[in-house]
Amino acid sequence: MSHEERNNIASLLAGLLVNIYIISRLANLYSDGSLNGADSIMVWARAILWAIPIGIATVIICIILFNILFAIAERDPKPSFVVDERDQAIKSYGMHFTMVIVSIAFFGGVVALAFGANTLHVLIAMFFGFSLGDLIGNFAKLIRYRYDV
């Protein structure tokens, strides 16, 4: 298993953890009525602003822990961190999936706003569309690593 493949698996896990956190945070905000008032977009934005550094830290911690655990499991004191052309090609492959999904989410959000959709709901949907794009891109990379000929 290459270094980039290990990082990809850790990123998938971290992405799922961050999404679970955000869903629970939004559920709490909805249940206590914070997202029902006139300042609901500001409350949502503050929650997301906190989620961004939490997400970055979660990804970094997951990658470090996953690489440490992998090195211990493989009994390899010096794992390889080499990134070759194949890794770069697979990274580009996953990025194509991510960009297509993110573009669709953004365009869909703009269209929804143009037709009078609730701004808060559109922002939430766009955020999860962006997150879905990242997860699908990472999943596509993982499939490519596993089944690339």
Side-chain angles (χ1 to χ4, degrees):
M1 182 181 298
S2 73
H3 171 66
E4 288 297 313
E5 187 176 2
R6 291 190 305 263
N7 289 349
N8 189 48
I9 292 170
S11 293
L12 271 169
L13 176 65
L16 291 172
L17 291 173
V18 169
N19 281 319
I20 290 169
Y21 167 74
I22 291 171
I23 289 169
S24 68
R25 181 78 174 114
L26 288 175
N28 288 338
L29 290 173
Y30 267 114
S31 68
D32 70 10
S34 298
L35 295 179
N36 294 333
D39 61 347
S40 60
I41 293 176
M42 181 183 65
V43 172
W44 173 84
R46 287 181 179 167
I48 295 303
L49 282 176
W50 276 106
I52 291 169
I54 289 170
I56 292 169
T58 303
V59 169
I60 292 169
I61 290 168
C62 283
I63 287 173
I64 291 170
L65 288 177
F66 192 79
N67 279 298
I68 289 171
L69 292 173
F70 186 80
I72 291 170
E74 292 291 316
R75 300 182 199 275
D76 187 4
K78 290 186 158 189
S80 174
F81 296 107
V82 174
V83 177
D84 59 10
E85 294 85 16
R86 178 177 175 258
D87 292 321
Q88 293 297 330
I90 291 174
K91 187 177 186 179
S92 177
Y93 178 78
M95 187 59 68
H96 287 112
F97 280 91
T98 300
M99 289 296 112
V100 166
I101 302 291
V102 166
S103 298
I104 291 169
F106 179 77
F107 184 72
V110 171
V111 169
L113 287 172
F115 285 101
N118 181 306
T119 306
L120 177 64
H121 295 146
V122 170
L123 288 172
I124 291 170
M126 285 173 65
F127 178 83
F128 283 114
F130 295 170
S131 182
L132 180 67
D134 178 58
L135 289 172
I136 289 174
N138 282 330
F139 191 68
K141 288 190 289 187
L142 183 62
I143 289 173
R144 185 82 184 262
Y145 272 115
R146 292 285 95 196
Y147 300 108
D148 195 22
V149 180

